């Protein structure tokens, strides 16, 4: 039987609509949520991501602003901009679009963002809070994956959850969130000895490797829930996930598509975090 398709686009639209009344009530109290995005360099994908985020903000009633820096910009220019945004009471969330050009130290730039405005959840204070199970801003992609799993009614306690990819923005934080829900979590990476043998044990399989169609039907346990985080531009210009969707949907129990799965949820969670930051700013 074909897998159930988990529709991230529709869940994200519902989630964004659910934020509108909170946004209007914050606006009435003089704190309309505001998000500032910083884009550095010429990466076309980054430009599209920032534009999509700004559009989602406008649709939802979050004020958005955009700060653009050339490829060769200095660290001090970026730090100066972040310092101004940290002090600006109309800005509740600050996004530094990654990747940064190689001459810039991403950790040092991200560390300059006030943790109270770090709606991407990439600051060490917020990642540390996640590790300790305390409230902080959780990165949008892993938070979005958790919402998708909840929405799809996927049981997690006692289940084997395997993540392919160990980045700080997806794989590692997602592992912590799945652990909090009592899943038995395995993280795979490029040095994992027999990837297929590990993924075949997974009741929940999350692909976040950035490698088109890495996960084939033979690597999936029948009936598993497969979440595809990957976004890869194919030679024909189309997007592909990390999962061979056409083949895997015949064996999985449920699966997210690309596009229309995790991507829209990442944006929606960024809005949820920005609204929360604005609420917290009022004490
Ligand atoms: P990174 O490049 O930072 O991390 C990729 C991870 O995958 C690494 O841990 C790497 O292992 C592992 N990996 C790569 N190739 C293989 C392989 N053949 N077998 C097993 N593991 C492998 O990527 P990100 O975490 O930033 O992003 C991952 C994907 O998700 C990308 O396609 C990205 O575009 C997409 N993405 C999508 C988002 C969305 O909203 N939908 C948001 C963020 C990312 P190692 O550590 O050993 O190098």
């Amino acid at each position: 039987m074909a897998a159930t398709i988990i529709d991230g686009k529709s869940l994200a639209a519902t989630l964004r609509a659910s934020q509108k009344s909170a946004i209007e009530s914050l606006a009435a109290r003089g704190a309309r949520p505001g998000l500032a995005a910083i884009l550095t360099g010429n990466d076309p994908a980054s430009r599209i991501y920032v534009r999509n985020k700004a559009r989602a903000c406008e649709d939802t009633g979050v004020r958005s602003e955009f700060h653009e820096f050339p490829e060769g910009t200095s660290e001090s220019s970026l730090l100066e901009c972040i310092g101004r945004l940290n002090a600006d009471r109309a800005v509740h969330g600050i996004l530094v679009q990654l990747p940064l050009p190689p001459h810039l130290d991403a950790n040092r730039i991200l560390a300059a963002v006030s943790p109270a405005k770090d709606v991407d959840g990439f600051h060490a204070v917020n990642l540390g809070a996640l590790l300790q199970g305390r409230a902080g801003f959780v990165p949008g992609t892993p938070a979005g994956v958790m919402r998708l799993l909840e929405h799809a009614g996927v049981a997690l306690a006692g289940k084997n959850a395997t993540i392919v990819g160990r980045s700080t923005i997806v794989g590692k934080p997602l592992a912590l969130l799945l652990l909090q829900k009592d899943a038995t979590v395995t993280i795979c990476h490029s040095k994992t000895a027999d990837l297929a043998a590990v993924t075949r044990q997974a009741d929940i399989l999350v692909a976040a490797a950035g490698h088109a169609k890495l996960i084939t039907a033979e690597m999936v346990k029948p009936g598993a829930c497969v979440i595809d985080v990957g976004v890869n531009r194919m030679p024909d210009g189309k997007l592909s996930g990390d999962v061979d969707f056409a083949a895997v949907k015949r064996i999985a129990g449920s699966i997210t598509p690309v596009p229309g799965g995790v991507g829209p949820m990442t944006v929606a969670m960024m809005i949820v975090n920005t609204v929360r930051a604005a609420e917290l700013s009022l004490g």
Side-chain angles (χ1 to χ4, degrees):
M1 208 172 77
T4 304
I5 309 297
I6 306 175
D7 184 350
K9 196 171 168 192
S10 120
L11 180 61
T14 306
L15 197 54
R16 274 162 42 188
S18 76
Q19 298 298 299
K20 280 192 178 163
S21 66
I23 292 169
E24 289 317 316
S25 94
L26 281 161
R29 294 163 74 195
R32 176 173 293 284
L35 184 75
I38 299 175
L39 177 66
T40 312
N42 308 317
D43 181 30
S46 291
R47 193 166 290 275
I48 293 170
Y49 290 143
V50 168
R51 196 186 60 204
N52 289 347
K53 288 171 188 171
R55 199 173 289 155
C57 285
E58 279 156 30
D59 289 351
T60 324
V62 170
R63 193 186 64 78
S64 79
E65 59 184 64
F66 175 56
H67 300 264
E68 190 172 359
F69 290 87
E71 182 78 23
T73 201
S74 66
E75 189 170 295
S76 60
S77 307
L78 280 183
L79 292 176
E80 190 271 330
C81 175
I82 292 170
R84 253 187 303 113
L85 296 172
N86 280 341
D88 185 341
R89 290 165 60 90
V91 172
H92 303 96
I94 302 171
L95 301 182
V96 179
Q97 184 64 44
L98 300 177
L100 290 170
H103 68 282
L104 296 169
D105 182 336
N107 282 334
R108 217 162 30 217
I109 306 279
L110 293 174
V113 175
S114 161
K117 297 191 178 189
D118 170 41
V119 292
D120 258 340
F122 295 163
H123 193 288
V125 165
N126 284 313
L127 289 170
L130 177 59
L131 187 68
Q132 293 179 332
R134 289 186 291 113
F137 290 114
V138 174
T141 302
V145 170
M146 294 306 286
R147 292 278 186 132
L148 283 169
L149 291 170
E150 189 185 12
H151 172 74
V154 177
L156 297 174
K159 300 293 181 189
N160 288 337
T162 297
I163 306 164
V164 184
R166 56 176 164 181
S167 74
T168 309
I169 64 172
V170 186
K172 285 180 194 164
L174 181 58
L176 294 169
L177 292 168
L178 288 164
L179 269 180
Q180 279 176 12
K181 294 291 179 190
D182 299 325
T184 301
V185 181
T186 306
I187 308 183
C188 302
H189 46 77
S190 66
K191 310 291 186 298
T192 296
D194 185 350
L195 185 62
V198 183
T199 59
R200 271 198 294 271
Q201 303 301 314
D203 302 301
I204 298 107
L205 176 60
V206 182
H211 190 303
K213 301 189 196 318
L214 173 69
I215 306 297
T216 60
E218 298 69 40
M219 298 168 77
V220 175
K221 178 177 178 177
C225 172
V226 179
I227 304 285
D228 193 351
V229 177
V231 180
N232 309 285
R233 183 74 62 187
M234 304 304 279
D236 63 3
K238 291 195 180 139
L239 291 184
S240 164
D242 287 356
V243 175
D244 182 353
F245 182 81
V248 171
K249 78 168 193 247
R250 293 197 205 103
I251 186 164
S254 52
I255 186 167
T256 60
V258 177
V262 175
M265 290 301 292
T266 299
V267 177
M269 295 314 298
M270 175 206 74
I271 288 180
V272 168
N273 279 351
T274 305
V275 171
R276 196 168 140 239
E279 283 168 350
L280 291 171
S281 77
L282 293 177

